[in-house]
Amino acid sequence: MATLAEKALEQGKGILRLSPTWVPRSFCVPGRRIKLHPDDYYVLGGERGGIDERWFSSTTPAENGPLTGKNEGLSHVVLEDGGKEVQILLKDVIDELKGEIIGDRLWNEYKSWPMYSKFFDNMGPLPHHIHHNDEHAAKIGQKGKPEAYYFPPQVNNHGGDFPYTFFGITPGTTKEQIKECLMNFTKGDNKITNYSSAFRLEPGTGWDVPPGMLHAPGSMCTYEPQKASDVFAMYQSLVNEAIIPEELLWNGTPKDRMGDYDQLMEVIDWELNTDPNMLETRFMRPIPVEPMEEMEAKGYIDKWICYRSDAFSAKELTVLPGKTVTIKDSACYGMIMMQGHGKMGDWPIETPSLIRYGQLTHDEYFVTEKAAKEGVTITNLSPTDPIVMLKHFGPDNPDLKL
């Protein structure tokens, strides 16, 4: 008897259909651009906060405190079984079928799917915060977290309250000044962004954010590929007139160093944060995979949108109206539809304009390495509307040669 994982793989011919994964954050106000029904942003209750994130291809549980729901943050595979639609965890499918899903290269090295992506969608800015590197995250049994941002035009009809992101620490700032801000965390506004520079966010571009770099994401709806980790610490005490709980300052700190401000300072990669060429080293404009004229002649446009990290990469694929194309990739990937409708392999693909909490969709899939290498055939059924999808890949993508 075939297992559910084997059935899912067979039914999709190497392409797994995923259901939407919604994640609330108690310290954020939703920006309402991720297509969730207006009645459903607070469907999990006021104490959980609003739903301001949708996670893609995730085998990483959300770290949302004691109220976190079962399987929160984990993606589910949708399949037919006995005439019914059933759902199983993507994590379980990968644990069972291993290299058949993510390829032997990734399975042999990581024994898991080592990244995920998400939309985060906040009306205001996030606090200046930091993600730990592997060394510091290991002290609390987690992995470090590099991440990257891309601002899709399709979900940024407005920029929110503060479409600017603070990155790093202004050159000339002393470590004593930053440490004083951290020690003032419980005294109201600790004013840590006085020592940082904000950059205006532009739809259709992105940023690379390595671990150890302070950053305060702005209020654009953001597509965010990242390493499979949810480790962070908030270093800003007041943002958009909202107080950040002190427990989030010490989030990610080993028990034996709680209250030790030197430990918080050690997490900061000082050289990375004080780089005077942040625009040159961290900003990302899309880069065509091949010459534009050649791709357009074949009916598609493929661009790298996240390409500075070795922990993940991402592409934006456009299939022109009325065209059928076969796209080959050397690695497995997750994808989310941004625009248009058509077919991908045997599956319908479409871009819903409104989704109820718990409703299934045909806008998110996971493509196995075997299917990606053989080539995925995509047909755009519209004579006028392009198909646009975002594709997130794991570490060391063999195709990424810039």
Side-chain angles (χ1 to χ4, degrees):
M1 285 286 288
T3 64
L4 288 176
E6 289 167 337
K7 283 183 183 177
L9 184 61
E10 185 185 342
Q11 283 174 20
K13 294 182 180 168
I15 301 175
L16 304 173
R17 178 189 174 198
L18 303 181
S19 61
T21 301
W22 307 104
V23 175
R25 295 293 196 189
S26 59
F27 49 82
C28 297
V29 175
R32 298 175 179 263
R33 291 163 295 196
I34 51 176
K35 303 179 182 178
L36 190 58
H37 190 284
D39 289 348
D40 292 349
Y41 280 100
Y42 291 89
V43 70
L44 296 173
E47 73 280 3
R48 294 301 321 277
I51 292 172
D52 66 332
E53 297 186 358
R54 180 177 170 184
W55 289 22
F56 307 121
S57 305
S58 170
T59 59
T60 304
E63 299 284 341
N64 265 340
L67 297 177
T68 305
K70 188 183 181 217
N71 296 332
E72 192 159 289
L74 296 176
S75 292
H76 288 74
V77 176
V78 183
L79 69 146
E80 287 275 329
D81 183 50
K84 291 182 184 169
E85 274 187 331
V86 299
Q87 298 186 47
I88 53 176
L89 288 173
L90 175 63
K91 181 182 187 305
D92 291 346
V93 174
I94 292 171
D95 286 347
E96 181 186 328
L97 300 180
K98 305 176 171 64
E100 284 188 74
I101 305 295
I102 64 173
D104 291 337
R105 176 181 68 88
L106 290 179
W107 179 259
N108 291 341
E109 183 164 351
Y110 298 97
K111 299 289 188 281
S112 65
W113 172 236
M115 69 85 65
Y116 67 108
S117 192
K118 67 167 75 160
F119 286 151
F120 72 75
D121 170 42
N122 299 306
M123 187 62 76
L126 285 181
H128 217 30
H129 68 278
I130 200 161
H131 300 291
H132 305 62
N133 63 20
D134 282 335
E135 179 192 349
H136 286 291
K139 295 174 183 175
I140 58 161
Q142 288 213 47
K143 296 184 176 79
K145 185 177 172 181
E147 60 189 28
Y149 306 149
Y150 177 70
F151 312 111
Q154 294 86 352
V155 286
N156 279 298
N157 56 315
H158 67 88
D161 292 344
F162 191 78
Y164 303 82
T165 290
F166 287 96
F167 288 109
I169 296 166
T170 306
T173 304
T174 67
K175 292 184 178 180
E176 288 70 30
Q177 287 171 309
I178 298 300
K179 186 176 177 181
E180 185 180 2
C181 291
L182 299 178
M183 295 174 75
N184 287 337
F185 196 90
T186 57
K187 300 175 184 174
D189 184 359
N190 70 347
K191 301 182 179 176
I192 193 168
T193 52
N194 286 7
Y195 302 106
S196 185
S197 300
F199 295 84
R200 184 180 174 188
L201 305 181
E202 181 185 348
T205 70
W207 288 83
D208 178 57
V209 188
M213 183 156 95
L214 280 161
H215 54 291
S219 56
M220 276 201 173
C221 186
T222 303
Y223 170 74
E224 184 188 19
Q226 58 207 271
K227 193 166 168 177
S229 168
D230 201 21
V231 67
F232 68 91
M234 297 294 186
Y235 280 21
Q236 184 179 2
S237 60
L238 179 80
V239 65
N240 233 23
E241 302 308 312
I243 293 288
I244 308 303
E246 190 191 7
E247 69 199 55
L248 294 179
L249 172 67
W250 300 106
N251 195 44
T253 300
K255 283 192 171 63
D256 63 335
R257 298 202 62 185
M258 286 289 181
D260 182 350
Y261 293 95
D262 288 330
Q263 164 64 22
L264 300 179
M265 292 298 297
E266 286 168 22
V267 173
I268 300 172
D269 183 328
W270 197 260
E271 188 178 345
L272 178 71
N273 277 273
T274 54
D275 177 8
N277 301 314
M278 204 75 79
L279 202 57
E280 183 186 334
T281 55
R282 304 270 73 95
F283 181 66
M284 294 182 291
R285 285 198 185 279
I287 297 175
V289 171
E290 299 168 44
M292 288 289 287
E293 304 76 26
E294 291 179 22
M295 291 190 290
E296 286 175 352
K298 296 176 195 169
Y300 69 91
I301 299 166
D302 205 10
K303 295 179 179 178
W304 292 107
I305 53 173
C306 298
Y307 46 78
R308 291 190 183 274
S309 174
D310 59 6
F312 52 78
S313 56
K315 287 179 177 179
E316 178 189 72
L317 173 66
T318 301
V319 180
L320 301 176
K323 300 296 184 183
T324 295
V325 301
T326 299
I327 303 294
K328 292 184 178 182
D329 288 283
S330 298
C332 65
Y333 57 90
M335 56 75 69
I336 177 69
M337 287 285 289
M338 301 305 303
Q339 189 173 342
H341 73 281
K343 288 202 77 172
M344 183 172 76
D346 284 359
W347 290 109
I349 48 173
E350 59 192 17
T351 313
S353 47
L354 202 62
I355 308 169
R356 293 304 306 240
Y357 184 85
Q359 177 188 340
L360 297 180
T361 58
H362 281 96
D363 66 341
E364 186 187 355
Y365 293 87
F366 191 93
V367 178
T368 63
E369 183 183 271
K370 184 169 183 276
K373 284 181 169 178
E374 288 174 354
V376 174
T377 299
I378 302 166
T379 299
N380 188 341
L381 295 174
S382 171
T384 53
D385 197 21
I387 281 174
V388 181
M389 64 176 70
L390 304 180
K391 298 161 63 171
H392 24 277
F393 299 85
D396 299 313
N397 189 334
D399 294 329
L400 182 56
K401 298 182 179 74
L402 297 179

